[in-house]
mmCIF file of all heavy atoms in Angstrom:
data_model
loop_
_atom_site.group_PDB
_atom_site.id
_atom_site.type_symbol
_atom_site.label_atom_id
_atom_site.label_comp_id
_atom_site.label_asym_id
_atom_site.label_seq_id
_atom_site.Cartn_x
_atom_site.Cartn_y
_atom_site.Cartn_z
ATOM 1 N N LEU A 1 -102.006 -4.205 3.204
ATOM 2 C CA LEU A 1 -101.007 -4.507 2.198
ATOM 3 C C LEU A 1 -101.234 -3.675 0.934
ATOM 4 O O LEU A 1 -100.293 -3.136 0.362
ATOM 5 C CB LEU A 1 -101.026 -5.997 1.853
ATOM 6 C CG LEU A 1 -99.969 -6.483 0.881
ATOM 7 C CD1 LEU A 1 -98.572 -6.223 1.427
ATOM 8 C CD2 LEU A 1 -100.144 -7.966 0.607
ATOM 9 N N ASP A 2 -102.494 -3.535 0.521
ATOM 10 C CA ASP A 2 -102.794 -2.736 -0.657
ATOM 11 C C ASP A 2 -102.405 -1.278 -0.451
ATOM 12 O O ASP A 2 -101.870 -0.638 -1.348
ATOM 13 C CB ASP A 2 -104.287 -2.808 -0.997
ATOM 14 C CG ASP A 2 -104.692 -4.169 -1.518
ATOM 15 O OD1 ASP A 2 -103.816 -4.878 -2.049
ATOM 16 O OD2 ASP A 2 -105.875 -4.508 -1.390
ATOM 17 N N SER A 3 -102.682 -0.762 0.731
ATOM 18 C CA SER A 3 -102.399 0.651 0.958
ATOM 19 C C SER A 3 -100.908 0.925 1.030
ATOM 20 O O SER A 3 -100.458 2.009 0.699
ATOM 21 C CB SER A 3 -103.091 1.136 2.233
ATOM 22 O OG SER A 3 -102.575 0.451 3.363
ATOM 23 N N THR A 4 -100.102 -0.045 1.433
ATOM 24 C CA THR A 4 -98.660 0.178 1.493
ATOM 25 C C THR A 4 -97.992 -0.042 0.148
ATOM 26 O O THR A 4 -97.009 0.598 -0.159
ATOM 27 C CB THR A 4 -97.992 -0.735 2.543
ATOM 28 O OG1 THR A 4 -98.254 -2.086 2.230
ATOM 29 C CG2 THR A 4 -98.479 -0.407 3.942
ATOM 30 N N CYS A 5 -98.514 -0.933 -0.675
ATOM 31 C CA CYS A 5 -97.902 -1.206 -1.981
ATOM 32 C C CYS A 5 -98.510 -0.358 -3.087
ATOM 33 O O CYS A 5 -97.892 -0.165 -4.125
ATOM 34 C CB CYS A 5 -98.054 -2.680 -2.344
ATOM 35 S SG CYS A 5 -97.128 -3.772 -1.267
ATOM 36 N N GLY A 6 -99.713 0.076 -2.909
ATOM 37 C CA GLY A 6 -100.376 0.884 -3.920
ATOM 38 C C GLY A 6 -100.865 0.093 -5.115
ATOM 39 O O GLY A 6 -101.094 0.654 -6.183
ATOM 40 N N ILE A 7 -101.011 -1.213 -4.974
ATOM 41 C CA ILE A 7 -101.466 -2.055 -6.074
ATOM 42 C C ILE A 7 -102.817 -2.654 -5.701
ATOM 43 O O ILE A 7 -102.960 -3.281 -4.655
ATOM 44 C CB ILE A 7 -100.453 -3.188 -6.352
ATOM 45 C CG1 ILE A 7 -99.109 -2.601 -6.759
ATOM 46 C CG2 ILE A 7 -100.966 -4.112 -7.441
ATOM 47 C CD1 ILE A 7 -98.016 -3.626 -6.912
ATOM 48 N N SER A 8 -103.781 -2.466 -6.580
ATOM 49 C CA SER A 8 -105.108 -3.020 -6.319
ATOM 50 C C SER A 8 -105.100 -4.522 -6.589
ATOM 51 O O SER A 8 -104.211 -5.055 -7.259
ATOM 52 C CB SER A 8 -106.144 -2.351 -7.214
ATOM 53 O OG SER A 8 -105.928 -2.723 -8.558
ATOM 54 N N ASP A 9 -106.100 -5.211 -6.064
ATOM 55 C CA ASP A 9 -106.222 -6.650 -6.290
ATOM 56 C C ASP A 9 -106.356 -6.946 -7.785
ATOM 57 O O ASP A 9 -105.788 -7.918 -8.283
ATOM 58 C CB ASP A 9 -107.422 -7.222 -5.546
ATOM 59 C CG ASP A 9 -107.203 -7.302 -4.046
ATOM 60 O OD1 ASP A 9 -106.035 -7.201 -3.614
ATOM 61 O OD2 ASP A 9 -108.199 -7.469 -3.319
ATOM 62 N N GLU A 10 -107.115 -6.125 -8.485
ATOM 63 C CA GLU A 10 -107.315 -6.336 -9.918
ATOM 64 C C GLU A 10 -106.003 -6.198 -10.683
ATOM 65 O O GLU A 10 -105.694 -6.998 -11.562
ATOM 66 C CB GLU A 10 -108.354 -5.344 -10.468
ATOM 67 C CG GLU A 10 -109.757 -5.566 -9.959
ATOM 68 C CD GLU A 10 -109.995 -4.930 -8.585
ATOM 69 O OE1 GLU A 10 -109.194 -4.067 -8.162
ATOM 70 O OE2 GLU A 10 -110.970 -5.309 -7.935
ATOM 71 N N GLU A 11 -105.217 -5.183 -10.356
ATOM 72 C CA GLU A 11 -103.940 -4.981 -11.039
ATOM 73 C C GLU A 11 -102.967 -6.113 -10.709
ATOM 74 O O GLU A 11 -102.256 -6.603 -11.587
ATOM 75 C CB GLU A 11 -103.321 -3.644 -10.653
ATOM 76 C CG GLU A 11 -102.034 -3.348 -11.411
ATOM 77 C CD GLU A 11 -101.441 -1.996 -11.065
ATOM 78 O OE1 GLU A 11 -102.093 -1.214 -10.360
ATOM 79 O OE2 GLU A 11 -100.314 -1.742 -11.516
ATOM 80 N N LEU A 12 -102.951 -6.544 -9.474
ATOM 81 C CA LEU A 12 -102.083 -7.644 -9.076
ATOM 82 C C LEU A 12 -102.466 -8.921 -9.810
ATOM 83 O O LEU A 12 -101.595 -9.659 -10.296
ATOM 84 C CB LEU A 12 -102.166 -7.854 -7.565
ATOM 85 C CG LEU A 12 -101.165 -8.805 -6.955
ATOM 86 C CD1 LEU A 12 -99.734 -8.358 -7.221
ATOM 87 C CD2 LEU A 12 -101.403 -8.925 -5.462
ATOM 88 N N THR A 13 -103.754 -9.189 -9.931
ATOM 89 C CA THR A 13 -104.232 -10.365 -10.662
ATOM 90 C C THR A 13 -103.819 -10.284 -12.119
ATOM 91 O O THR A 13 -103.348 -11.269 -12.696
ATOM 92 C CB THR A 13 -105.762 -10.488 -10.546
ATOM 93 O OG1 THR A 13 -106.111 -10.616 -9.169
ATOM 94 C CG2 THR A 13 -106.284 -11.682 -11.325
ATOM 95 N N GLN A 14 -103.970 -9.111 -12.730
ATOM 96 C CA GLN A 14 -103.590 -8.933 -14.132
ATOM 97 C C GLN A 14 -102.094 -9.144 -14.324
ATOM 98 O O GLN A 14 -101.666 -9.784 -15.283
ATOM 99 C CB GLN A 14 -104.001 -7.535 -14.617
ATOM 100 C CG GLN A 14 -103.896 -7.368 -16.102
ATOM 101 C CD GLN A 14 -104.801 -8.325 -16.855
ATOM 102 O OE1 GLN A 14 -105.878 -8.681 -16.405
ATOM 103 N NE2 GLN A 14 -104.360 -8.756 -18.014
ATOM 104 N N ARG A 15 -101.284 -8.632 -13.423
ATOM 105 C CA ARG A 15 -99.831 -8.815 -13.504
ATOM 106 C C ARG A 15 -99.458 -10.285 -13.373
ATOM 107 O O ARG A 15 -98.561 -10.774 -14.053
ATOM 108 C CB ARG A 15 -99.123 -8.012 -12.413
ATOM 109 C CG ARG A 15 -99.121 -6.532 -12.668
ATOM 110 C CD ARG A 15 -98.343 -5.816 -11.596
ATOM 111 N NE ARG A 15 -98.371 -4.377 -11.763
ATOM 112 C CZ ARG A 15 -97.583 -3.552 -11.102
ATOM 113 N NH1 ARG A 15 -96.726 -4.003 -10.212
ATOM 114 N NH2 ARG A 15 -97.659 -2.252 -11.315
ATOM 115 N N PHE A 16 -100.138 -11.006 -12.475
ATOM 116 C CA PHE A 16 -99.881 -12.429 -12.298
ATOM 117 C C PHE A 16 -100.208 -13.202 -13.570
ATOM 118 O O PHE A 16 -99.413 -14.021 -14.034
ATOM 119 C CB PHE A 16 -100.695 -12.967 -11.117
ATOM 120 C CG PHE A 16 -100.552 -14.439 -10.919
ATOM 121 C CD1 PHE A 16 -99.406 -14.969 -10.345
ATOM 122 C CD2 PHE A 16 -101.561 -15.301 -11.315
ATOM 123 C CE1 PHE A 16 -99.263 -16.334 -10.170
ATOM 124 C CE2 PHE A 16 -101.432 -16.659 -11.141
ATOM 125 C CZ PHE A 16 -100.280 -17.175 -10.570
ATOM 126 N N LYS A 17 -101.370 -12.936 -14.159
ATOM 127 C CA LYS A 17 -101.767 -13.616 -15.393
ATOM 128 C C LYS A 17 -100.769 -13.347 -16.517
ATOM 129 O O LYS A 17 -100.428 -14.246 -17.281
ATOM 130 C CB LYS A 17 -103.170 -13.175 -15.822
ATOM 131 C CG LYS A 17 -104.266 -13.733 -14.949
ATOM 132 C CD LYS A 17 -105.616 -13.239 -15.418
ATOM 133 C CE LYS A 17 -106.742 -13.761 -14.564
ATOM 134 N NZ LYS A 17 -108.055 -13.269 -15.025
ATOM 135 N N GLU A 18 -100.303 -12.116 -16.616
ATOM 136 C CA GLU A 18 -99.334 -11.758 -17.651
ATOM 137 C C GLU A 18 -98.003 -12.470 -17.414
ATOM 138 O O GLU A 18 -97.358 -12.924 -18.361
ATOM 139 C CB GLU A 18 -99.131 -10.248 -17.689
ATOM 140 C CG GLU A 18 -98.215 -9.769 -18.779
ATOM 141 C CD GLU A 18 -98.718 -10.000 -20.191
ATOM 142 O OE1 GLU A 18 -99.901 -10.372 -20.377
ATOM 143 O OE2 GLU A 18 -97.927 -9.812 -21.127
ATOM 144 N N SER A 19 -97.586 -12.604 -16.162
ATOM 145 C CA SER A 19 -96.325 -13.292 -15.877
ATOM 146 C C SER A 19 -96.420 -14.771 -16.254
ATOM 147 O O SER A 19 -95.448 -15.350 -16.762
ATOM 148 C CB SER A 19 -95.934 -13.134 -14.410
ATOM 149 O OG SER A 19 -96.778 -13.873 -13.571
ATOM 150 N N ILE A 20 -97.564 -15.384 -16.045
ATOM 151 C CA ILE A 20 -97.763 -16.778 -16.430
ATOM 152 C C ILE A 20 -97.743 -16.908 -17.950
ATOM 153 O O ILE A 20 -97.126 -17.826 -18.499
ATOM 154 C CB ILE A 20 -99.088 -17.331 -15.861
ATOM 155 C CG1 ILE A 20 -99.064 -17.330 -14.339
ATOM 156 C CG2 ILE A 20 -99.388 -18.729 -16.406
ATOM 157 C CD1 ILE A 20 -97.964 -18.174 -13.727
ATOM 158 N N ARG A 21 -98.375 -15.983 -18.657
ATOM 159 C CA ARG A 21 -98.375 -16.011 -20.120
ATOM 160 C C ARG A 21 -96.953 -15.902 -20.666
ATOM 161 O O ARG A 21 -96.553 -16.657 -21.561
ATOM 162 C CB ARG A 21 -99.232 -14.874 -20.683
ATOM 163 C CG ARG A 21 -99.400 -14.945 -22.209
ATOM 164 C CD ARG A 21 -99.956 -13.661 -22.792
ATOM 165 N NE ARG A 21 -99.062 -12.532 -22.646
ATOM 166 C CZ ARG A 21 -97.942 -12.345 -23.376
ATOM 167 N NH1 ARG A 21 -97.581 -13.214 -24.281
ATOM 168 N NH2 ARG A 21 -97.190 -11.277 -23.177
ATOM 169 N N ILE A 22 -96.168 -15.002 -20.101
ATOM 170 C CA ILE A 22 -94.783 -14.825 -20.543
ATOM 171 C C ILE A 22 -93.973 -16.081 -20.259
ATOM 172 O O ILE A 22 -93.194 -16.539 -21.098
ATOM 173 C CB ILE A 22 -94.154 -13.584 -19.879
ATOM 174 C CG1 ILE A 22 -94.814 -12.324 -20.420
ATOM 175 C CG2 ILE A 22 -92.649 -13.549 -20.096
ATOM 176 C CD1 ILE A 22 -94.471 -11.059 -19.655
ATOM 177 N N ASP A 23 -94.156 -16.668 -19.075
ATOM 178 C CA ASP A 23 -93.433 -17.893 -18.728
ATOM 179 C C ASP A 23 -93.794 -19.024 -19.689
ATOM 180 O O ASP A 23 -92.914 -19.769 -20.132
ATOM 181 C CB ASP A 23 -93.739 -18.298 -17.290
ATOM 182 C CG ASP A 23 -92.942 -19.508 -16.849
ATOM 183 O OD1 ASP A 23 -91.694 -19.440 -16.899
ATOM 184 O OD2 ASP A 23 -93.565 -20.518 -16.472
ATOM 185 N N ASP A 24 -95.076 -19.167 -20.029
ATOM 186 C CA ASP A 24 -95.499 -20.196 -20.982
ATOM 187 C C ASP A 24 -94.838 -19.980 -22.342
ATOM 188 O O ASP A 24 -94.389 -20.922 -22.991
ATOM 189 C CB ASP A 24 -97.020 -20.189 -21.146
ATOM 190 C CG ASP A 24 -97.754 -20.760 -19.950
ATOM 191 O OD1 ASP A 24 -97.088 -21.275 -19.021
ATOM 192 O OD2 ASP A 24 -98.994 -20.667 -19.934
ATOM 193 N N GLU A 25 -94.771 -18.736 -22.779
ATOM 194 C CA GLU A 25 -94.162 -18.417 -24.069
ATOM 195 C C GLU A 25 -92.667 -18.751 -24.069
ATOM 196 O O GLU A 25 -92.154 -19.334 -25.029
ATOM 197 C CB GLU A 25 -94.368 -16.931 -24.376
ATOM 198 C CG GLU A 25 -93.980 -16.536 -25.771
ATOM 199 C CD GLU A 25 -94.345 -15.102 -26.079
ATOM 200 O OE1 GLU A 25 -95.444 -14.666 -25.676
ATOM 201 O OE2 GLU A 25 -93.531 -14.426 -26.720
ATOM 202 N N VAL A 26 -91.973 -18.422 -22.990
ATOM 203 C CA VAL A 26 -90.541 -18.734 -22.876
ATOM 204 C C VAL A 26 -90.329 -20.245 -22.905
ATOM 205 O O VAL A 26 -89.422 -20.746 -23.577
ATOM 206 C CB VAL A 26 -89.947 -18.110 -21.595
ATOM 207 C CG1 VAL A 26 -88.555 -18.641 -21.314
ATOM 208 C CG2 VAL A 26 -89.912 -16.595 -21.705
ATOM 209 N N ARG A 27 -91.178 -20.985 -22.197
ATOM 210 C CA ARG A 27 -91.039 -22.446 -22.171
ATOM 211 C C ARG A 27 -91.254 -23.035 -23.555
ATOM 212 O O ARG A 27 -90.559 -23.972 -23.951
ATOM 213 C CB ARG A 27 -92.011 -23.055 -21.157
ATOM 214 C CG ARG A 27 -91.657 -22.687 -19.712
ATOM 215 C CD ARG A 27 -92.604 -23.320 -18.706
ATOM 216 N NE ARG A 27 -92.497 -24.760 -18.685
ATOM 217 C CZ ARG A 27 -91.524 -25.425 -18.051
ATOM 218 N NH1 ARG A 27 -90.591 -24.782 -17.410
ATOM 219 N NH2 ARG A 27 -91.504 -26.745 -18.066
ATOM 220 N N ARG A 28 -92.208 -22.517 -24.309
ATOM 221 C CA ARG A 28 -92.442 -23.015 -25.669
ATOM 222 C C ARG A 28 -91.235 -22.735 -26.566
ATOM 223 O O ARG A 28 -90.841 -23.582 -27.361
ATOM 224 C CB ARG A 28 -93.695 -22.381 -26.261
ATOM 225 C CG ARG A 28 -94.962 -22.979 -25.707
ATOM 226 C CD ARG A 28 -96.200 -22.548 -26.479
ATOM 227 N NE ARG A 28 -97.388 -23.060 -25.829
ATOM 228 C CZ ARG A 28 -98.181 -22.351 -25.045
ATOM 229 N NH1 ARG A 28 -97.948 -21.085 -24.828
ATOM 230 N NH2 ARG A 28 -99.230 -22.897 -24.478
ATOM 231 N N ILE A 29 -90.671 -21.537 -26.448
ATOM 232 C CA ILE A 29 -89.494 -21.180 -27.245
ATOM 233 C C ILE A 29 -88.336 -22.119 -26.932
ATOM 234 O O ILE A 29 -87.592 -22.531 -27.822
ATOM 235 C CB ILE A 29 -89.100 -19.709 -27.005
ATOM 236 C CG1 ILE A 29 -90.157 -18.783 -27.615
ATOM 237 C CG2 ILE A 29 -87.719 -19.401 -27.565
ATOM 238 C CD1 ILE A 29 -90.025 -17.331 -27.205
ATOM 239 N N LYS A 30 -88.189 -22.477 -25.669
ATOM 240 C CA LYS A 30 -87.106 -23.375 -25.248
ATOM 241 C C LYS A 30 -87.411 -24.837 -25.546
ATOM 242 O O LYS A 30 -86.570 -25.698 -25.339
ATOM 243 C CB LYS A 30 -86.844 -23.220 -23.749
ATOM 244 C CG LYS A 30 -86.215 -21.896 -23.385
ATOM 245 C CD LYS A 30 -85.947 -21.822 -21.897
ATOM 246 C CE LYS A 30 -85.236 -20.546 -21.524
ATOM 247 N NZ LYS A 30 -84.937 -20.487 -20.080
ATOM 248 N N GLY A 31 -88.624 -25.131 -26.003
ATOM 249 C CA GLY A 31 -88.998 -26.501 -26.320
ATOM 250 C C GLY A 31 -89.437 -27.310 -25.114
ATOM 251 O O GLY A 31 -89.443 -28.539 -25.161
ATOM 252 N N LEU A 32 -89.801 -26.648 -24.037
ATOM 253 C CA LEU A 32 -90.217 -27.317 -22.813
ATOM 254 C C LEU A 32 -91.740 -27.413 -22.747
ATOM 255 O O LEU A 32 -92.446 -26.557 -23.268
ATOM 256 C CB LEU A 32 -89.704 -26.550 -21.598
ATOM 257 C CG LEU A 32 -88.184 -26.395 -21.501
ATOM 258 C CD1 LEU A 32 -87.827 -25.434 -20.377
ATOM 259 C CD2 LEU A 32 -87.537 -27.736 -21.296
ATOM 260 N N PRO A 33 -92.265 -28.442 -22.079
ATOM 261 C CA PRO A 33 -93.720 -28.556 -21.963
ATOM 262 C C PRO A 33 -94.292 -27.560 -20.961
ATOM 263 O O PRO A 33 -93.590 -27.060 -20.090
ATOM 264 C CB PRO A 33 -93.910 -29.986 -21.462
ATOM 265 C CG PRO A 33 -92.658 -30.298 -20.732
ATOM 266 C CD PRO A 33 -91.568 -29.567 -21.458
#
């Protein structure tokens, strides 16, 4: 899977963490828990 997508496990983990951070920020802006 890594060789076909070209994304390392570390980069994928970092992207996942960033997506969660962005989602948390959007929820706070919207007033959601």
